[in-house]
Amino acid sequence: MRQISHILIVMVMFSALSSRETCGGEITAEGKAAVEQLPRTLRARITIEERGTSAADAMTKIAADQRALQEYLLALGANPRSIRFGETSVVSHKSGKFVSSYPQKRSLSVGSKAAADGKKFVTLSVEVAAEWEFASKSQPDLVVEFHTLRQRILTAYEQVKREDPKLAASFSPPSFLLVGYIDEPQRLKLLQAAFDDAKKRAGQLAKVANVELGPLLKLNTKSRLQPAAARPSTTRTHERNDLWEVMTNKPAQVSFWIEVSTIFAINQATLKQSRVPADPLRSARGRSQSIAR
């Protein structure tokens, strides 16, 4: 079972009570809930870039490259459901000698007939992402598994460059990210934990102030993923797209934080009672002496 630790950090502050009885007081409490985990998958990103005498020509080449790359990724053990092709974008639309984003393609393109004739061409690109699931249960094991898997993918890329240089010339070298994620039910569970703890702290402050907590007036939430920013997943991993991801380039634990800021009203009846002096007899004596004077 994947090791998960929970951290609860709560910061509270108590707002000053109004001196007027017609104005209600407030109690503000801020809570945080967090969960840490090891990254669950390794994500590789590769960019395909092709040129053609027209957009249709370049798109045909892109489609052929996508099919070939998908076969390589599946042979390397990538999760079939994780392979995703992004939107195709136009890199350039010009005439003259073609200059690729990748050095190996630049050497193959120099002196081509299309470039020599000065024909117009269109260059298109598309980003491809694929994921491999980690089996590691500890951080030391993750370090070994990450570097082993990364090296296997890079070795396969170098092999393609030797065996099919024309195809490899269309691919960028792969880049890697380690990805942790939680789904929506897990995020809601964290949100509930943060809210419950903030409410508990607000209740403790109310008890110290000798008042009762009233209804909730305001609630704000903020998600924070470390070391990356929170965002919904754009990759349909495990046939779901409601995942919240955190990405890192190091084989280390990642954290998911949810912060809650609450403002509760103070029960008006208890607010008035809390302003009654602690010693009524002393107060009565003070009033009688004042009348006598």
Side-chain angles (χ1 to χ4, degrees):
M1 181 176 181
R2 195 173 300 275
Q3 181 180 3
I4 298 178
S5 61
H6 292 270
I7 304 173
L8 289 177
I9 304 175
V10 178
M11 300 179 297
V12 295
M13 58 183 178
F14 183 58
S15 62
L17 299 179
S18 171
S19 59
R20 299 181 182 178
E21 293 191 1
T22 56
C23 296
E26 296 176 350
I27 293 180
T28 300
E30 296 181 354
K32 294 181 182 179
V35 60
E36 293 184 346
Q37 65 173 230
L38 291 174
R40 299 189 181 188
T41 63
L42 174 66
R43 177 177 297 167
R45 293 183 181 273
I46 300 172
T47 300
I48 300 175
E49 186 176 294
E50 280 287 4
R51 68 156 181 171
T53 55
S54 65
D57 181 35
M59 187 66 75
T60 299
K61 295 177 180 179
I62 286 280
D65 292 343
Q66 287 178 333
R67 290 190 294 270
L69 179 57
Q70 185 169 15
E71 291 180 4
Y72 279 111
L73 294 173
L74 291 174
L76 286 169
N79 185 337
R81 295 186 296 272
S82 73
I83 299 176
R84 179 178 179 272
F85 297 93
E87 295 182 354
T88 303
S89 59
V90 178
V91 177
S92 64
H93 188 179
K94 56 187 177 182
S95 60
K97 184 172 66 176
F98 174 71
V99 178
S100 171
S101 302
Y102 317 123
Q104 69 270 23
K105 187 163 187 174
R106 187 179 302 120
S107 61
L108 293 172
S109 302
V110 174
S112 65
K113 186 176 185 299
D117 294 343
K119 294 181 179 179
K120 292 184 178 181
F121 58 84
V122 178
T123 304
L124 303 179
S125 71
V126 61
E127 187 177 89
V128 184
E131 294 186 9
W132 289 257
E133 295 186 4
F134 289 125
S136 300
K137 301 297 188 296
S138 66
Q139 196 270 338
D141 290 342
L142 178 65
V143 172
V144 175
E145 185 178 8
F146 163 65
H147 286 286
T148 301
L149 181 55
R150 179 178 180 274
Q151 188 58 46
R152 181 155 60 92
I153 297 171
L154 290 175
T155 300
Y157 173 72
E158 293 298 325
Q159 183 178 351
V160 173
K161 287 173 62 177
R162 292 191 301 270
E163 296 178 354
D164 194 344
K166 183 178 180 180
L167 176 63
S170 302
F171 300 155
S172 70
S175 60
F176 301 95
L177 288 171
L178 296 89
V179 184
Y181 55 84
I182 58 174
D183 57 22
E184 187 64 13
Q186 290 173 311
R187 194 182 75 88
L188 291 176
K189 186 176 180 179
L190 275 180
L191 182 61
Q192 183 68 56
F195 175 77
D196 289 346
D197 203 79
K199 185 176 181 180
K200 176 182 177 181
R201 298 297 177 174
Q204 291 173 341
L205 286 174
K207 184 176 181 180
V208 171
N210 196 28
V211 296
E212 289 183 1
L213 207 61
L216 179 68
L217 299 178
K218 189 175 182 180
L219 174 65
N220 290 322
T221 64
K222 181 173 67 174
S223 298
R224 180 162 56 91
L225 306 187
Q226 293 179 335
R231 68 179 184 87
S233 171
T234 56
T235 302
R236 298 184 64 87
T237 307
H238 304 300
E239 298 182 335
R240 296 183 300 182
N241 60 356
D242 61 343
L243 303 179
W244 289 77
E245 297 180 344
V246 57
M247 293 170 286
T248 179
N249 56 5
K250 298 179 180 179
Q253 283 194 334
V254 293
S255 300
F256 301 81
W257 291 78
I258 290 187
E259 302 175 4
V260 173
S261 176
T262 59
I263 299 179
F264 290 91
I266 293 178
N267 186 295
Q268 291 297 300
T270 59
L271 179 61
K272 294 179 180 180
Q273 292 174 4
S274 67
R275 292 171 182 165
V276 175
D279 188 348
L281 294 178
R282 179 184 300 176
S283 178
R285 287 196 299 269
R287 286 197 299 271
S288 62
Q289 291 173 0
S290 176
I291 293 173
R293 287 197 297 266

